[in-house]
Amino acid sequence: MTLLSTTPRPLIAGNWKMNGLSTALDEARAIAAGLDRRPAAARVAIFPPATLLHRLGEAVEGSFVLVGGQDCHGAASGAHTGDISAQMVADAGGTMVIVGHSERRTDHGETCQQVAGKAQAALAAGLEPIICVGESLEQRQAGEAVSFVIGQLRNSLPDSLAGQAFDVAYEPLWAIGTGHVASVENIVEMHAAIRTELVARFGEQGRATPILYGGSVKPENAREILAAPEVGGALVGGASLKAKDFLAIVEAA
Ligand code: 13P
């Protein structure tokens, strides 16, 4: 198997969630400045709240930092108060968008079908979607983690992803914001199952699709996680809010 030539650089993605006022742009500038000192071995992206997307894009312009949205609606426009479309994310300077994050699925009752629609809308707007999946603690304890996540993946990925750039993020719910990072064994098992499903569904393309791990990734554990088989990057929450920590994770890639 000649994976080397097709394996993309790891993606280190910082999901700021509902954090960040204007002053946080300084952290983004510090991240951009930190990357400018050497060629980045990884792709680096920041996903600020929608209110900062445009300004953050301007703040890091000309650097290695990519910017993206944390969510988008499945429709291109319309009467959906409070939502933003994929086209709006692109118009604000984003090139990527996270869809199906567990906090969206939990807080807003998003279904896999809706997530697939969002991923499709992202592609239509020229964005690279990061599609998130992950099991709850109850599902893991019941021994259903892999079957649940693979089912979620199957239903959250639209067929239109074939031939398009996209990423998958595995984020076990019990590891998000808890400091309880999944064991490398758990990560390796799940990423291997996700890889098998991606290859079954998308053939050769599925071999190269980056599979990110997310859930309490910190400078202290990033190296071990990122070195694990089939881990193609990290989706980082809390530790992406401080340039120093985020850059240390990028350094570990
Ligand atoms: P934490 O890194 O804060 O656990 O968040 C992970 C996450 O949900 C990123 O999308």
Side-chain angles (χ1 to χ4, degrees):
M1 193 162 60
T2 54
L3 256 183
L4 275 182
S5 58
T6 54
T7 303
R9 287 183 301 159
L11 172 62
I12 308 298
N15 175 9
W16 283 11
K17 308 191 179 185
M18 199 174 73
N19 297 292
L21 302 175
S22 304
T23 48
L25 295 174
D26 287 341
E27 294 298 325
R29 285 190 196 97
I31 291 167
L35 294 177
D36 276 350
R37 271 182 239 125
R38 57 180 169 71
R43 291 198 298 156
V44 177
I46 302 176
F47 298 79
T51 46
L52 287 185
L53 185 56
H54 184 65
R55 275 188 294 164
L56 195 145
E58 286 183 337
V60 302
E61 202 169 352
S63 78
F64 290 104
V65 178
L66 305 165
V67 299
Q70 296 177 8
D71 178 50
C72 67
H73 198 278
S77 63
H80 304 289
T81 303
D83 281 317
I84 60 172
S85 71
Q87 224 179 352
M88 290 169 181
V89 172
D91 186 50
T95 58
M96 309 179 85
V97 68
I98 298 169
V99 296
H101 192 282
S102 63
E103 287 149 17
R104 299 288 317 173
R105 293 180 189 261
T106 304
D107 295 357
H108 301 276
E110 288 184 7
T111 64
C112 290
Q113 198 186 4
Q114 281 172 314
V115 173
K118 286 165 184 253
Q120 201 155 341
L123 295 179
L127 300 176
E128 175 179 332
I130 300 178
I131 300 131
C132 303
V133 291
E135 83 285 357
S136 67
L137 185 58
E138 295 69 35
Q139 286 160 333
R140 176 152 291 274
Q141 285 170 341
E144 293 163 2
V146 172
S147 60
F148 176 79
V149 166
I150 297 307
Q152 212 180 26
L153 188 69
R154 225 163 255 166
N155 295 326
S156 301
L157 301 185
D159 290 335
S160 53
L161 289 168
Q164 307 289 329
F166 74 97
D167 312 270
V168 170
Y170 166 57
E171 298 202 301
L173 273 60
W174 45 273
I176 295 177
T178 59
H180 298 302
V181 67
S183 68
V184 171
E185 291 72 26
N186 285 165
I187 296 172
V188 169
E189 180 193 35
M190 190 63 81
H191 281 229
I194 292 172
R195 176 68 67 212
T196 301
E197 172 62 21
L198 288 172
V199 172
R201 179 97 179 259
F202 298 103
E204 274 307 302
Q205 180 192 358
R207 284 190 204 288
T209 301
I211 308 171
L212 282 55
Y213 168 78
S216 297
V217 176
K218 308 281 178 219
E220 308 81 63
N221 58 28
R223 196 169 295 279
E224 189 185 17
I225 294 170
L226 289 165
E230 302 296 1
V231 174
L235 185 50
V236 185
S240 70
L241 297 172
K242 288 274 165 266
K244 188 169 162 284
D245 290 346
F246 192 55
L247 286 169
I249 295 171
V250 172
E251 193 73 40

